[in-house]
């Protein structure tokens, strides 16, 4: 059997494929007229196949810049990383109710886009299963893609996934007198997001998210890491917990974490420029997940044993998990709510 990592013809073919992907993506984005280069798709491609590819979808009305720091960290960890510009996003123009942003209102457009980029990710590294991920509406799309193509995806990273409306979002779209809405809090002017949208454009992502949540109950999924923030006013965090409860029974390597409200991490949780001063912590937690083979039960057992005064290295050795743990895992364990774990296992303590 020919080894694609060493075969000269395979190397030449991959070089041609990756060069063409970069050139075609740039050409298409030059034609549509972007607000700034921050809207361009991010394509960080390893010089040789590594068996690791991440396909990430940015948030609704935003652009690939949201994944810039995490994309760099994943690339440094050996991943080829693709963050494509979503349909209708990132365009230059004076958009308002009379000239609305060109965002799709048909969820099928986003689904076909995701499937197309999955094929492109596979062409970058034919030996890899793909890690998919996304923020907000992009996370809903990533969750849908992971379920739709469960045998072709390895894991999913879902940040503040939009599976259902919060009170804040309902307040934005409930007014039927206008089909065009503006965010109550405008995007950071240093970053080129849209400040307005058609309500039907937002509902396209809601449709995708609701489908993913419903399918998670009974259909197979890859392992997934869901991250929420207690300060989020844009999505319903209860939906995240429900999604996690649905999938962890089938995929015990799935994780769920919600940043405490006191950290004041907003819905667009990926970068400092959009309000997350804990950006690097989030990046490390993401790396800890994709680099580990650790169930959530394992994680809680590690955290629980550390409450008895044992160190992380001691517990990892006791449980025989050293070969399954990422070098970044201690940071993730540090962030876990150990008191809640202890109280869940010892209900009498919660009454003290």
């Amino acid at each position: 059997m020919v080894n694609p990592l060493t075969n000269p013809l395979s190397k030449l073919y991959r070089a041609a494929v990756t060069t063409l992907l970069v050139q075609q993506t740039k050409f298409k984005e030059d034609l549509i007229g972007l607000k700034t280069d921050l809207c361009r798709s991010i394509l960080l491609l390893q010089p040789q196949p590594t068996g690791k590819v991440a396909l990430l979808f940015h948030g609704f009305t935003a652009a690939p810049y949201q994944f810039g720091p995490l994309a760099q960290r994943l690339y440094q960890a050996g991943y080829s990383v693709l963050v494509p510009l979503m349909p209708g996003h990132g365009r230059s123009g004076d958009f308002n109710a009379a000239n609305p942003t060109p965002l799709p209102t048909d969820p099928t457009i986003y689904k076909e886009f995701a499937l197309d980029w999955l094929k492109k990710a596979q062409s970058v590294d034919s030996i890899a299963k793909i890690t998919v991920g996304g923020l907000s509406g992009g996370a809903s799309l990533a969750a849908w893609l992971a379920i739709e193509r469960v045998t072709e995806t390895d894991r999913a990273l879902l940040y503040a996934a939009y599976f259902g409306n919060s009170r804040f979002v309902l307040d934005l779209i409930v007014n039927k007198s206008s089909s065009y809405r503006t965010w109550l809090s405008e995007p950071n002017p240093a970053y080129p997001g849209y400040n307005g949208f058609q309500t039907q454009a937002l509902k396209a992502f809601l449709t995708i998210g609701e489908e993913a949540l419903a399918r998670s109950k009974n259909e197979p999924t890859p392992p997934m890491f869901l991250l929420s923030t207690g300060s989020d006013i844009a999505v319903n965090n209860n939906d995240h917990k429900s999604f996690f409860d649905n999938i962890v029974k089938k995929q015990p390597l799935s994780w769920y974490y919600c940043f405490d409200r006191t950290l004041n991490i907003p819905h667009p949780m990926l970068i400092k420029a959009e309000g997350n001063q804990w950006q690097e912590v989030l990046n490390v937690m993401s790396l800890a997940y994709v680099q580990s083979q650790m169930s959530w039960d394992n994680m809680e057992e590690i955290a629980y044993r550390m409450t008895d005064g044992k160190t992380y290295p001691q517990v990892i050795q006791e449980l025989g998990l050293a070969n399954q743990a990422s070098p970044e895992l201690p940071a993730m364990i540090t962030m876990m709510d150990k008191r809640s774990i202890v109280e869940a296992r010892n209900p009498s303590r919660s009454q003290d």
Side-chain angles (χ1 to χ4, degrees), residues 54-130:
L55 172 62
L56 308 171
F57 302 120
H58 63 78
F60 178 65
T61 72
Y65 67 83
Q66 291 184 311
F67 275 102
L70 179 57
Q72 288 290 340
R73 291 298 304 269
L74 288 168
Y75 181 76
Q76 292 164 8
Y79 283 79
S80 287
V81 185
L82 297 81
V83 191
L85 177 65
M86 295 257 249
H89 288 70
R91 274 54 165 179
S92 61
D94 183 15
F95 299 116
N96 49 53
N99 180 37
T101 48
L103 298 166
T105 57
D106 181 358
T108 302
I109 293 174
Y110 289 111
K111 291 179 177 181
E112 292 176 349
F113 170 82
L115 291 169
D116 179 57
W117 273 93
L118 179 63
K119 291 180 181 178
K120 291 174 179 175
Q122 291 166 335
S123 73
V124 165
D125 194 332
S126 61
I127 65 173
K129 279 193 173 182
I130 314 301

Side-chain angles (χ1 to χ4, degrees), residues 134-136 139 157-163 225-244 255-270 276 278 282 285-286 296 332 335:
L135 170 65
S136 188
L157 294 165
L158 307 181
Y159 305 95
Y162 181 33
F163 294 135
F225 186 14
L226 290 89
L227 292 98
S228 307
T229 167
S231 303
D232 204 332
I233 60 172
V235 298
N236 188 336
N237 285 345
N238 291 330
D239 290 334
H240 300 162
K241 190 62 170 62
S242 295
F243 190 96
F244 174 72
W255 296 1
Y256 172 74
Y257 184 82
C258 184
F259 289 101
D260 191 87
R261 180 185 293 271
T262 59
L263 298 180
N264 201 32
I265 295 173
H267 174 67
M269 60 167 64
L270 288 172
N276 184 6
W278 296 74
L282 181 144
M285 292 168 68
S286 302
W296 191 244
M332 176 67 198
M335 295 298 293

Side-chain angles (χ1 to χ4, degrees), residues 151-172:
T151 61
E152 300 169 50
T153 51
D154 182 56
R155 295 198 177 196
L157 294 165
L158 307 181
Y159 305 95
Y162 181 33
F163 294 135
N165 284 323
S166 69
R167 182 71 255 174
F168 170 78
V169 172
L170 282 174
D171 288 344
L172 281 176

Side-chain angles (χ1 to χ4, degrees), residues 176-211:
K176 301 299 183 182
S177 65
S178 173
S179 63
Y180 192 81
R181 310 299 298 171
T182 56
W183 293 116
L184 299 184
S185 177
E186 292 196 8
N188 186 320
Y191 286 84
Y194 294 147
N195 65 0
F197 55 91
Q198 293 174 284
T199 57
Q200 289 301 316
L202 179 60
K203 288 177 181 177
F205 279 108
L206 177 59
T207 298
I208 295 170
E210 288 178 335
E211 179 185 338

Side-chain angles (χ1 to χ4, degrees), residues 6-52:
T6 59
N7 186 303
L9 291 178
S10 295
K11 291 181 179 181
L12 287 172
Y13 176 75
R14 180 180 183 274
V17 166
T18 55
T19 298
L20 184 62
L21 175 60
V22 172
Q23 291 177 343
Q24 287 183 335
T25 302
K26 183 180 186 303
F27 178 73
K28 290 178 181 179
E29 293 175 356
D30 286 343
L31 285 179
I32 61 177
L34 301 180
K35 295 182 77 171
T36 76
D37 281 345
L38 288 171
C39 295
R40 289 195 179 277
S41 297
I42 297 172
L43 302 175
L44 303 177
L45 307 179
Q46 297 291 337
Q48 302 295 335
T50 62
K52 297 189 289 187

